[in-house]
Amino acid sequence: MVNLTAPATPAELAKLAGTAAGTTLTELVLLDTDLTPATIDALRRFRHLNTLGISAKGADDDTLARLKELPRLTSLSLRGLDARGKVTDKGFEAVAALPLRSLGLAWSDLAPQHYRGLAAMPNLVTLDLSQSSADDAALADLAACPKLISLNLSGTKVTPRGLESLSRIATLRSVELRRTGITAKGLLRLVASRPDVRIYWDGGVIEPSKRP
């Protein structure tokens, strides 16, 4: 895996792709690099890329649609996606149509219908919505996720009432609730209804008391 902590230009990425390491690279983290058409052109040079983390603050529908040009991609993190600004339903649907097992949308602003789109992703196992616009209504939609195992809701506006929806995700095994303000009392129902789920919260970690 290569994790670039400074912004990378398309030319720098193309140069990396031409190195011996670049020809076999499978994981690339570029959270300070903006997703643009030129960046997509450079990323296409990484023939084995299956994991990508990148800033989506300036992305638009056309750029997101081009992610399908990275055919091996199964894990994607789009930090700061603004689905209420430049990105419309068309762009979000392009992301939801990718054959992803893991999707990160930290610091993203999504509309209600987009959570229904996430729930319809057939292979999604890991979902990171930390610091996003996710709320109780979003959790009600996410309850329909068919394969979700790990869900990060840290820093969101979810409440104990919304956590009741998580009980309906039969495959869920881990949920992160740090910085949500939810207390031990607020976790009681979730712990009781889903003793097979590991819960990370401001008070520590509640380990599963029952095996799946």
Side-chain angles (χ1 to χ4, degrees), residues 137-165:
L139 294 189
D141 290 324
L142 292 174
C145 288
K147 295 183 180 180
L148 193 64
I149 293 175
S150 176
L151 177 61
N152 189 342
L153 295 166
S154 295
T156 63
K157 297 179 180 178
V158 297
T159 72
R161 177 173 295 182
L163 297 185
E164 295 178 12
S165 298

Side-chain angles (χ1 to χ4, degrees), residues 1-2 13 16-29 40-53 67 69-75:
M1 181 182 76
V2 171
L13 291 175
L16 174 61
T19 65
T23 58
T24 59
L25 191 68
T26 59
E27 301 180 28
L28 190 55
V29 179
I40 295 284
D41 289 337
L43 292 174
R44 290 179 60 192
R45 297 172 179 262
F46 295 93
R47 302 298 183 185
H48 300 281
L49 189 67
N50 59 41
T51 300
L52 174 65
L67 285 169
E69 297 175 24
L70 307 176
R72 293 179 179 268
L73 210 58
T74 58
S75 178

Side-chain angles (χ1 to χ4, degrees), residues 5-197:
T5 56
T9 66
E12 290 170 335
L13 291 175
K15 184 177 180 180
L16 174 61
T19 65
T23 58
T24 59
L25 191 68
T26 59
E27 301 180 28
L28 190 55
V29 179
L30 307 164
L31 294 183
D32 289 314
T33 298
D34 290 330
L35 182 66
T36 66
T39 307
I40 295 284
D41 289 337
L43 292 174
R44 290 179 60 192
R45 297 172 179 262
F46 295 93
R47 302 298 183 185
H48 300 281
L49 189 67
N50 59 41
T51 300
L52 174 65
I54 196 164
S55 171
K57 291 180 180 179
D60 58 18
D61 289 349
D62 292 338
T63 304
L64 294 175
R66 290 193 59 193
L67 285 169
K68 65 184 178 183
E69 297 175 24
L70 307 176
R72 293 179 179 268
L73 210 58
T74 58
S75 178
L76 176 65
S77 177
L78 295 171
R79 190 180 182 91
L81 181 68
D82 182 8
R84 298 175 191 260
K86 289 184 178 181
V87 177
T88 69
D89 289 353
K90 179 182 177 181
F92 187 83
E93 288 166 5
V95 174
L98 296 171
L100 300 175
R101 289 178 53 81
S102 176
L103 177 60
L105 294 169
W107 297 93
S108 295
D109 188 10
L110 308 181
Q113 67 270 23
H114 299 143
Y115 295 102
R116 293 190 288 274
L118 292 175
M121 294 177 70
N123 301 310
L124 195 62
V125 172
T126 301
L127 179 59
D128 180 2
L129 293 172
S130 58
Q131 302 295 150
S132 73
S133 56
D135 55 14
D136 290 352
L139 294 189
D141 290 324
L142 292 174
C145 288
K147 295 183 180 180
L148 193 64
I149 293 175
S150 176
L151 177 61
N152 189 342
L153 295 166
S154 295
T156 63
K157 297 179 180 178
V158 297
T159 72
R161 177 173 295 182
L163 297 185
E164 295 178 12
S165 298
L166 297 183
S167 299
R168 303 201 299 272
I169 307 178
T171 54
L172 191 66
R173 296 294 176 264
S174 174
V175 60
E176 296 195 33
L177 296 166
R178 297 184 177 100
R179 302 183 304 281
T180 59
I182 296 177
T183 64
K185 182 179 180 180
L187 292 172
L188 289 177
R189 287 189 178 183
L190 179 61
V191 172
S193 62
R194 292 302 304 273
D196 55 341
V197 173

